[in-house]
Amino acid sequence: LTGGVHALQNNNMVSLAGGNKEIFNEWKELIQDAIGEVVVLCGDIGAGAIAKVVSNMLAFTNMVAASECMMIAKKAGLDLENFFDAIRVSAGNSFAWETVVPHIFNQKYEAGFTMDLACKDMNLCYLLGEHLKIPLDSEFKIANNGFIGSPYIEVTMGINEQYYQNNDLTENNVDAVSLEEIINSFIFN
């Protein structure tokens, strides 16, 4: 399943499935009623899980890029709301841009997907790439429940360290802190 907390609350999740096409078609309507209209058969058994992990890697990467762009815009003196609107109608738009940035503006931090889960999925994607012998441009190495070497993880782990130092939090609280809350502390503080 994918789509985020708001999609879940509105019975509008996206189901990425894997399995036999005939069985999938037999159960598709029930899945749509229970989960949401969009149900995609991605291939054989396991293909839905692969699509989900890769989708999360792309979403997390987009979230970090969105936050970095907001920091650049602020430091450059741009009006952040106008900048947000400009990106929304440009080639740089993404689901992450349209969902993460409004949370930052509204200072709503619902840790529906925590840093621990993001790191877990990034590791799963790395392991999948390694298994498939795909050289990922971003090298991941697991160290202290995090990753070293990936631009995404170095940014988020660096943000985490600075956030914890600035807010007197312990590393054990990472699972209760949303990415949006951490990013906001750098954009608006």
Side-chain angles (χ1 to χ4, degrees):
L1 298 176
T2 188
V5 174
H6 297 291
L8 176 64
Q9 291 169 342
N10 295 314
N11 195 38
N12 198 23
M13 294 293 286
V14 172
S15 177
L16 304 174
N20 177 282
K21 187 174 184 174
E22 289 77 30
I23 294 172
F24 170 81
N25 287 334
E26 182 179 329
W27 291 94
K28 182 178 179 180
E29 189 174 318
L30 179 67
I31 296 169
Q32 288 173 317
D33 290 342
I35 296 170
E37 186 64 30
V38 181
V39 180
V40 180
L41 180 61
C42 298
D44 293 332
I45 291 177
I50 292 169
K52 167 66 174 168
V53 167
V54 173
S55 174
N56 280 358
M57 179 183 176
L58 185 57
F60 304 143
T61 303
N62 283 331
M63 285 180 198
V64 171
S67 66
E68 290 176 341
C69 290
M70 288 293 289
M71 287 186 254
I72 290 169
K74 181 178 181 183
K75 292 282 186 180
L78 299 180
D79 176 280
L80 293 181
E81 290 188 26
N82 287 340
F83 177 67
F84 170 73
D85 289 338
I87 297 300
R88 271 188 47 232
V89 296
S90 75
N93 193 27
S94 68
F95 178 80
W97 183 262
E98 291 197 21
T99 56
V100 172
V101 176
H103 287 290
I104 293 169
F105 282 140
N106 297 327
Q107 298 187 14
K108 290 185 177 180
Y109 310 112
E110 301 165 3
F113 206 91
T114 63
M115 291 298 294
D116 281 352
L117 292 173
C119 288
K120 173 200 58 100
D121 280 356
M122 293 295 283
N123 184 46
L124 288 173
C125 206
Y126 163 74
L127 293 173
L128 178 62
E130 187 177 67
H131 173 74
L132 297 172
K133 297 180 177 22
I134 297 172
L136 300 174
D137 288 338
S138 305
E139 291 182 28
F140 300 81
K141 293 183 184 169
I142 303 172
N144 300 323
N145 295 324
F147 303 83
I148 307 294
S150 157
Y152 166 79
I153 295 300
E154 285 188 3
V155 167
T156 57
M157 296 310 280
I159 287 173
N160 273 336
E161 288 174 20
Q162 289 178 329
Y163 182 83
Y164 293 124
Q165 288 170 3
N166 294 342
N167 293 284
D168 295 323
L169 297 174
T170 65
E171 288 288 333
N172 294 332
N173 289 335
V174 70
D175 63 332
V177 177
S178 70
L179 181 60
E180 292 92 347
E181 185 174 0
I182 294 169
I183 292 167
N184 181 70
S185 72
F186 291 95
I187 296 175
F188 295 110
N189 292 332

